Amino acid sequence: SLSKESDLNGNVEADFYVFEVDERFLPLIYDQLPAKNLLIMNLQKDQVQRNGDPNFIYKKLMQVANDKMHLFLNNDDPHSKSFEDKGGTITTFGVKKGPDSYEKDESYPTLACPKCSAKIEYDYFNSDNLGHFHCTSCGFSSDEVTDYELEVKDDGVYIDGVKLNIPYDVAFMFYNYIGAFALVNSVAGISLEDFNRALESFKNITGRIDSFDYKGKTVKYFRIKQENPDTLQNALNTIAKDKNEKSVYLGFDAVEDIVPGYTNTFYLFDCDFKPLINSGVSHYYCFAPTSCYDTALRLMYDGADEEKIEITESDSVEDFFEQLDKDPSDTIYLFTLLHKFEELREHARA
């Protein structure tokens, strides 16, 4: 990317350059590109075969944070907020409690306080691991007031009373919006008016939801990583808002994007399935050979009617469409790996 935008003397002929970099290698990257500003959105369970647990990445970021940096910290994430003593300048951002905020009971796991290792408790969640929190021992907590704050109301999303022209109204995107505004307003002086105008033309390269039609039925697919609870919880909450008759097909299978491939189901137990179960699901179809029984048990633990659950160890296209043909619902919500969805969509179009 740099070579493309450089002259023969190696001078970069660009005003800005944007790279996607791997947080695991941030210390190495920082040695070569010593950034003055660092925004830490959230640290959560993800790619456990590569990263183990969030503390592994936390320690990598700790190697980089220093008093010459301007740190932008998420007030609603304990790991991010705990960097407040590490930067030269600290700017905080967050999302206020809104209509879609929710709570979890004591049966769901939380995390250890980054400062004293006691238990963190959440007063409410806006997303799976983001919300107002406090430590049960040392007093570490979210601030009541942040430097930049987004507010969700029934009629829209606001910053400083200005309604945003948002293209994606889901919880994790709310944090992206307020984090981005905090950064560009503080560093580049971009006004809220200009920021809001830019949102009108913002498009993700690929969306989170895809679909295909088959014999009068609509199959809605959630494009999520089967490696963390955050995207799954957001998808479950989205489906739960649909109170119409529907079926849910869950094909959580082995993840093989990194060698060695692995199967894990931990993120299913971090998520609350009860709102989904109470939203009028007529049928559950648990498929895929590696974890179909784990998935069915997870549904049952949160109160799903066992008679509504069908289990198969097969992930074949033929078996999937045989099930789809006899399903009484016209709306199907589907969870599976991306390559499996593409295979199913091609079959439906054939």
Side-chain angles (χ1 to χ4, degrees):
S1 297
L2 284 171
S3 298
K4 247 169 62 173
E5 302 300 331
S6 300
D7 61 22
L8 292 176
N9 294 318
N11 299 307
V12 180
E13 298 175 342
D15 297 318
F16 300 95
Y17 42 91
V18 180
F19 304 116
E20 179 182 3
V21 299
D22 193 300
E23 63 276 8
R24 178 178 172 135
F25 295 98
L26 190 60
L28 175 62
I29 295 164
Y30 181 75
D31 285 343
Q32 301 175 57
L33 294 171
K36 297 179 180 178
N37 304 284
L38 177 65
L39 186 150
I40 304 174
M41 180 60 74
N42 62 314
L43 290 165
Q44 64 186 93
K45 301 173 184 176
D46 189 32
Q47 293 189 326
V48 295
Q49 84 279 33
R50 195 171 76 96
N51 294 331
D53 67 74
N55 285 330
F56 179 82
I57 298 301
Y58 183 75
K59 292 173 183 177
K60 293 289 185 182
L61 299 187
M62 278 291 184
Q63 295 177 36
V64 170
N66 60 73
D67 59 11
K68 296 179 182 179
M69 273 187 162
H70 186 165
L71 299 183
F72 293 81
L73 305 179
N74 189 343
N75 185 60
D76 298 338
D77 177 76
H79 284 115
S80 176
K81 180 68 163 46
S82 71
F83 281 82
E84 59 192 356
D85 300 325
K86 300 298 179 182
T89 304
I90 302 296
T91 296
T92 58
F93 61 92
V95 176
K96 293 180 70 173
K97 185 177 183 180
D100 293 327
S101 299
Y102 58 94
E103 299 178 7
K104 292 183 181 182
D105 61 37
E106 289 294 317
S107 65
Y108 293 95
T110 175
L111 67 149
C113 174
K115 295 199 173 184
C116 77
S117 298
K119 183 180 180 181
I120 288 287
E121 289 185 349
Y122 283 84
D123 304 311
Y124 62 86
F125 292 88
N126 290 322
S127 188
D128 178 67
N129 65 324
L130 301 176
H132 204 279
F133 68 87
H134 65 275
C135 174
T136 56
S137 179
C138 72
F140 172 58
S141 68
S142 302
D143 293 334
E144 291 299 325
V145 178
T146 58
D147 298 310
Y148 292 86
E149 195 165 61
L150 183 144
E151 184 174 10
V152 182
K153 300 182 180 180
D154 290 329
D155 67 336
V157 176
Y158 294 81
I159 298 177
D160 294 338
V162 176
K163 187 175 182 179
L164 298 186
N165 304 311
I166 58 168
Y168 306 101
D169 60 346
V170 291
F172 68 88
M173 288 302 298
F174 297 156
Y175 285 96
N176 290 342
Y177 298 140
I178 191 62
F181 178 61
L183 181 67
V184 299
N185 181 253
S186 295
V187 175
I190 293 174
S191 68
L192 179 56
E193 180 184 16
D194 288 340
F195 176 78
N196 200 17
R197 188 161 49 248
L199 288 178
E200 293 179 351
S201 59
F202 172 68
K203 292 285 187 297
N204 265 344
I205 296 175
T206 55
R208 287 288 187 185
I209 301 178
D210 209 334
S211 66
F212 64 81
D213 294 324
Y214 176 77
K215 295 183 179 179
K217 302 178 190 294
T218 300
V219 178
K220 299 182 179 181
Y221 169 67
F222 280 87
R223 190 188 304 267
I224 67 169
K225 291 178 67 176
Q226 292 189 23
E227 298 178 88
N228 69 59
D230 186 45
T231 51
L232 177 57
Q233 186 68 69
N234 279 301
L236 295 174
N237 293 347
T238 299
I239 300 173
K241 293 178 182 179
D242 179 0
K243 304 302 181 182
N244 298 310
E245 183 186 17
K246 56 189 174 291
S247 292
V248 180
Y249 287 25
L250 304 108
F252 299 114
D253 207 347
V255 176
E256 298 178 344
D257 57 342
I258 298 174
V259 177
Y262 74 111
T263 302
N264 81 70
T265 56
F266 73 83
Y267 55 90
L268 300 180
F269 291 87
D270 284 356
C271 294
D272 184 0
F273 283 77
K274 290 188 289 292
L276 169 71
I277 291 167
N278 296 329
S279 68
V281 180
S282 61
H283 185 71
Y284 302 93
Y285 181 56
C286 302
F287 65 102
T290 56
S291 56
C292 55
Y293 294 102
D294 297 291
T295 304
L297 285 170
R298 182 67 193 93
L299 292 169
M300 292 165 60
Y301 290 152
D302 267 358
D305 185 348
E306 186 175 350
E307 294 184 357
K308 293 183 177 181
I309 302 174
E310 184 166 349
I311 305 170
T312 177
E313 296 181 23
S314 169
D315 63 351
S316 75
V317 171
E318 292 75 19
D319 288 342
F320 180 92
F321 282 96
E322 181 180 339
Q323 172 64 33
L324 196 57
D325 282 330
K326 64 183 181 182
D327 198 294
S329 300
D330 292 332
T331 300
I332 312 294
Y333 287 99
L334 171 64
F335 295 93
T336 190
L337 296 171
L338 178 57
H339 69 83
K340 175 56 64 175
F341 167 72
E342 292 173 342
E343 185 180 359
L344 295 171
R345 182 175 57 186
E346 289 303 310
H347 183 89
R349 291 173 174 174

